[in-house]
Amino acid sequence: MSWTSRLAELGVALPPVAAPVAAYVPAVRSGNLVYTSGQLPFVAGSLAATGKVGGDVSPEEAKAHARTCALNALAAVDDLVGLDAVVRIVKLTGFVASAEGFTGQPAVVNGASELLGEVFGDAGRHARAAVGVAELPLGAPVEVDLIVEIGE
């Protein structure tokens, strides 16, 4: 089964590629790896939420936003090389704008990791960092980037 077929089976559609908010491109290929730029939880061209997780944004909401970020990252991969070229997800880095004292970053970033597992199965198992930060671009609560291995 292709990855695009698997998305359809899950009832998930990739969004349009999010327009960059500064001087960068959504994804770059180097050899058999694709690196995505950090993806915010944009939905239909607008940021889905702003604020700090554990404050203005609940961890459960932030987990859903991390899933949206991962979908946006997959859209960037699809636009550059086609989703069906993916061999495996190598690494995911998740950034969580955290209210003081919030330490649940791993559970928030699970929103992205779990989506990748649903879509890619064992090929979606990846190395990961879940980092708490003071601020993210545009006041976003989460940001996700991916390193993806593709076929030659």
Side-chain angles (χ1 to χ4, degrees), residues 8-67:
E9 180 181 281
L10 292 169
V12 176
L14 289 180
V17 177
V21 298
Y24 61 88
V25 295
V28 173
R29 178 180 178 173
S30 180
N32 67 336
L33 296 175
V34 171
Y35 298 80
T36 71
S37 294
Q39 298 294 314
L40 302 177
F42 280 111
V43 175
S46 297
L47 200 56
T50 59
K52 305 274 177 96
V53 181
D56 309 315
V57 180
S58 75
E60 296 77 21
E61 292 169 318
K63 182 177 179 181
H65 295 311
R67 180 181 176 95

Side-chain angles (χ1 to χ4, degrees), residues 80-135:
L80 184 66
V81 298
L83 196 63
D84 290 328
V86 172
V87 172
R88 75 167 298 126
I89 306 299
V90 176
K91 183 164 186 197
L92 179 155
T93 305
F95 302 94
V96 181
S98 301
E100 187 172 339
F102 180 73
T103 60
Q105 293 83 7
V108 169
V109 178
N110 277 349
S113 292
E114 290 168 4
L115 170 75
L116 297 173
E118 291 170 22
V119 175
F120 298 102
D122 284 344
R125 292 174 47 102
H126 52 271
R128 186 178 97 168
V131 182
V133 298
E135 299 289 340

